[in-house]
Every structure is written in C-alpha cells, then in structure tokens.
Amino acid sequence: MPIKFYRQRLVFLVNILAIVPLGYAIRFSHILPEYFHDAGGSLAYQILLMLLVLFIYPPANLRLTAIWVCIVSCAIELLQLYQPPWLQAIRATLPGRLILGTTFLWSDFPAYFVGSYLGWLWVRFLGNRE
C-alpha cells in the first residue's frame, strides 16, 4: 500500500477523534442556545459518518459518499417511526440510542442535508478531493 493511503487514513482518524467530542460538546452544551443543540449535533454526526466511510475506504467517491450518508441518515430518521418491541429493545441500549436515535423529528432532515454538504466540504479541504 502506498504511503498516501496510510496518510489519508491517519488524517481521517485524527478528524474523527476531533469531531466526536465536538459533536457531544455542541449537543450537550450549556453555553449554546437550546435550538442549536440538536441541529449542531446532527451536523457533526453527518461529518463523522463521512469521515468514517472514507476512513474505512479512502478511495470512495466523495460525492457519492455524501449522498449515501445523507440517504442513510434520512432512512434511520424515518425508521424511528417504526417501533416494534425488538427495535425498541435495541434503542434502549446506549449504542442503539446513539446510532438509531429515539425520536423522529422532521427538523432533523435539513441538518442531514447541510451536514452531508459540510462533510463533503470538510473532506475536500483535507485532501483536495473532487
């Protein structure tokens, strides 16, 4: 594997390690206005998902990654309307709450679109990718 491949992964990993605490700081901040908590956390979540996908597979097409991250996030949001007992049991766990969420909100969709776009910009800034 070329050194560039490992360098890209390292850059993505460092950014992942930075965005996670930033996202939680925004979501649970006592300084920021209440309305920004959910939207800001969703923006950070979208950027995190972009970085995770590209950490796992650095040569992935950046535009397609942004589109699919947005689609999957919207699907997970819609899945919150479906509440069978087995899915509720998963959501009762910390990983289930963090990944699947618990409450459907229409207001999350704009943040997913904007967050995917910001993730696309973020990665382009990191590596001059198209």
Side-chain angles (χ1 to χ4, degrees):
M1 294 270 161
I3 291 177
K4 182 179 178 186
F5 180 83
Y6 292 111
R7 184 194 157 285
Q8 281 181 324
R9 278 203 160 151
L10 180 61
V11 168
F12 291 137
L13 180 62
V14 167
N15 279 266
I16 288 167
L17 294 175
I19 198 74
V20 169
L22 177 64
Y24 281 112
I26 292 170
R27 188 165 302 263
F28 300 111
S29 169
H30 297 291
I31 299 168
L32 297 171
E34 184 74 28
Y35 64 86
F36 193 70
H37 292 181
D38 192 45
S42 293
L43 294 175
Y45 181 69
Q46 293 302 106
I47 295 168
L48 171 67
L49 290 178
M50 289 279 302
L51 292 167
L52 281 172
V53 169
L54 293 165
F55 173 77
I56 293 167
Y57 187 65
N61 180 291
L62 188 53
R63 271 188 218 121
L64 288 177
T65 301
I67 290 167
W68 277 107
V69 162
C70 187
I71 289 170
V72 168
S73 296
C74 290
I76 290 172
E77 186 69 26
L78 288 170
L79 188 63
Q80 292 172 13
L81 294 170
Y82 182 58
Q83 301 198 3
W86 65 271
L87 199 49
Q88 289 299 84
I90 294 171
R91 289 183 182 125
T93 67
L94 180 61
R97 272 193 314 276
L98 293 175
I99 296 168
L100 298 177
T102 57
T103 308
F104 174 82
L105 294 171
W106 281 108
S107 60
D108 284 344
F109 288 97
Y112 295 154
F113 285 95
V114 172
S116 294
Y117 178 70
L118 291 176
W120 176 76
L121 287 176
W122 185 302
V123 174
R124 283 196 65 198
F125 174 75
L126 290 177
N128 291 330
R129 293 179 60 157
E130 294 182 33

